[in-house]
Every structure is written in structure tokens, then in C-alpha cells.
Amino acid sequence: MRVVLAQPRGFCAGVVRAIDTVEQALVKYGPPVYVRHEIVHNKFVVESLKAKGAVFVEELSEVPAGAVTIFSAHGVARAVEDDAAGRRLAVINATCPLVTKVHNQGKRYAGQGRALILIGHAGHPEVEGTQGQIPAPVHLVQTVEDVARLEIPIETPVAYVTQTTLSVDDTRAIIAALEARFTDIRGPDTKDICYATQNRQVAVRELSKVVDVILVVGAKNSSNSNRLKEIGAESGIPSYLIANGRELEPRWVQGVHTVGITAGASAPEVLVEDVIDALRQLGPVEVTTLPGREETIEFRLPPELATA
Ligand code: SF4
């Protein structure tokens, strides 16, 4: 069996920074440090950090007064920041700088008096954070149909921002519908869309041209991993999202010549290797990597840990 790995795949710079933030906070302050929400959407990562002394909570009320508290890569609403300040928690903010950039862009548009539209998935923590960061109503749009349902007069100056785990291609149709509906509309430059989301999606499209089956390594609640699976399926290739090698169903690869593997932005490479090992249990495997875009982006740690 041939195994072809997508390039790039797995960890993005925002995820590396978020995980390093928790690890360095544990070194600097000692355990426990509290983390609001899964630092990134991956159980393996969360369990590894728990073993080192991180405590994951969903609500700040679960954090003892004064404790070191880390906000996840997805970002948080202003109300959460205010709540933390009110409780004198020692906050370290691991929000990805590209998510912060979306917050700032949204604030600028709202400050210009534009009605703000957010293209994203309801209930995702990043969407809740972005909605809660902008001191004005934010209209969430998930589909082209939602655009027609917006209760904003067509001559109103509007602007849109997007959830970072949507790519240029994901948002193209919705943006076209918005531009068709509103006469005065602004949006970010496409180069402001997260490089990692875009690159992983381009890579899985390339992968789909040369393989018979695609395995996406990632968590079920990882938005970008689900999207990689959908893109594989849209390309006509059976595609499966699995957390690790144990979730591999032998029937998916029975009689298959070439298996493609990619990984969501929050999935560590060790899990890709785990899936390859699971394939090896079924027979000899030859592994190659597709040529793809090389990523060199790195983000500095939050200022509290800058010297770490
Ligand atoms: S996917 Fe993009 S926005 Fe999200 S954490 Fe990674 S680099 Fe940041």
C-alpha cells in the first residue's frame, strides 16, 4: 500500500504558540495553571497538558481567585476578559494573533459605523469570541441563504469578517451574495484570511488527485479538520476523520492502492504516525510526501512569557 502525506498538514503557528504558552506557563508558575476551554481542539494535546498540570475549565467561575488562567487559541468575548479582571485572575491570552486581527478588523469596521456581518459557524468558540469582542451587533451568516434573511436595509454601509477556519474558497459564494445584496460593502483583503487554513485546504485538494482514500487526522470538534474531510469528499474521494490509529476501520482501505493522509491544524504529527502504524498492521506500507507549500510563520509567545 502506498501512503501519501499532504504538505502542509497538522499544527499551524497559532496552535504551536497556544500549546507552548501552556507549557511555558507551567514551567514559569508551576502547576496548576487553568485553561479556559480546550487550548486547541485535540483530545491528545489536552490530555498531554493535563498530565503536566494544566486544568481545563469551561467557565471562569471554576478557577480559584488569583490563579494563572490561559485563554485558548480561539479567543474570548470582552465579557470573559472583564470577568477575569474582576476576579483578579492572572490572565495569559493565547488567542491566535490571526484571530485577534479579525477582532481588530471588526472593531474598526464597527467604529466606521458599518453594520457588521460575521461569516462563521454558530456555537464555535471563535465565533462567540469575535461576536463578544465587537461593541456593536454582529450578524452571523453561515450560508448563502442566510444572506437573503439578513434584516439590514440594502443601502446600509456594511462590512464582513470571517471565522479563521474558513478559507477563501469556503467564503467565496457567501461574499458574492453579500456583494450582490449590499451597495456599500467592505471586507478584509483575502491575504488576511488565515494562511494555515488556506494552505491545508489547497494541499488536501492536491492529495485528492492522487489517492483512492483520504484519512484526515483530527478531532471531531475541530472545525478545520471537518472541513478537510468535506473537501476530500467533495473531490469524489471517500474521506474519513479519525482521531488516531485505533479509529482506522480496515474496510476503508481494503483493496486500496494509495491512501492519502492529512491532519487538521490542531492535530500533532505523532497522531499521523500512529495512523501510519495502524496501516502497517494491515500490510507493507511505502510512505511519500506530496510537494507543497513550506510554512515558515511563527508567532511570539504572549508578553508574560516572552522571555521563556
Ligand atoms: S488555524 Fe489559523 S487562525 Fe486558527 S490558530 Fe491556526 S494560524 Fe491561528
Side-chain angles (χ1 to χ4, degrees), residues 77-298:
R78 277 296 295 274
V80 175
E81 292 175 344
D82 293 346
D83 186 16
R87 301 196 50 224
R88 299 189 187 285
L89 300 179
V91 169
I92 303 172
N93 193 344
T95 302
C96 176
L98 297 184
V99 175
T100 303
K101 196 170 176 181
V102 172
H103 295 170
N104 293 338
Q105 182 85 62
K107 286 177 199 168
R108 268 199 299 278
Y109 287 139
Q112 292 163 6
R114 293 181 174 273
L116 196 69
I117 295 160
L118 170 60
I119 304 171
H121 298 302
H124 190 280
E126 182 187 323
V127 164
E128 289 172 357
T130 302
Q131 285 179 307
Q133 277 288 336
I134 295 162
V138 178
H139 305 267
L140 182 64
V141 161
Q142 304 188 74
T143 62
V144 168
E145 292 71 37
D146 287 348
V147 174
R149 286 193 280 266
L150 283 170
E151 291 182 355
I152 307 173
I154 56 170
E155 67 283 0
T156 309
V158 301
Y160 62 85
V161 290
T162 65
Q163 185 179 335
T164 56
T165 41
L166 299 177
S167 70
V168 179
D169 299 318
D170 292 331
T171 54
R172 210 184 295 279
I174 295 176
I175 292 170
L178 288 169
E179 287 174 342
R181 170 139 192 207
F182 297 103
T183 48
D184 181 358
I185 180 162
R186 296 275 164 81
D189 203 312
T190 49
K191 71 175 176 354
D192 284 345
I193 300 231
C194 167
Y195 78 97
T197 300
Q198 184 70 18
N199 289 352
R200 278 150 192 71
Q201 292 192 6
V202 168
V204 80
R205 281 199 180 89
E206 290 304 311
L207 190 67
S208 70
K209 293 177 188 165
V210 296
V211 300
D212 307 308
V213 170
I214 292 176
L215 304 174
V216 179
V217 183
K220 300 281 183 288
N221 62 340
S222 160
S223 171
N224 75 84
S225 305
N226 277 290
R227 190 65 195 115
L228 293 177
K229 184 190 82 169
E230 286 165 13
I231 290 170
E234 284 163 13
S235 308
I237 305 298
S239 301
Y240 304 95
L241 176 61
I242 54 176
N244 51 41
R246 283 194 308 282
E247 293 192 357
L248 174 74
E249 295 266 0
R251 64 188 163 85
W252 295 338
V253 293
Q254 210 160 28
V256 163
H257 183 248
T258 310
V259 177
I261 302 182
T262 186
S266 45
E269 186 65 11
V270 64
L271 296 179
V272 171
E273 281 155 20
D274 190 51
V275 171
I276 296 171
D277 283 345
L279 289 168
R280 282 207 177 93
Q281 305 294 316
L282 306 174
V285 159
E286 177 204 322
V287 183
T288 56
T289 303
L290 271 191
R293 184 169 291 220
E294 201 180 321
E295 294 178 340
T296 52
I297 291 181
E298 288 179 18

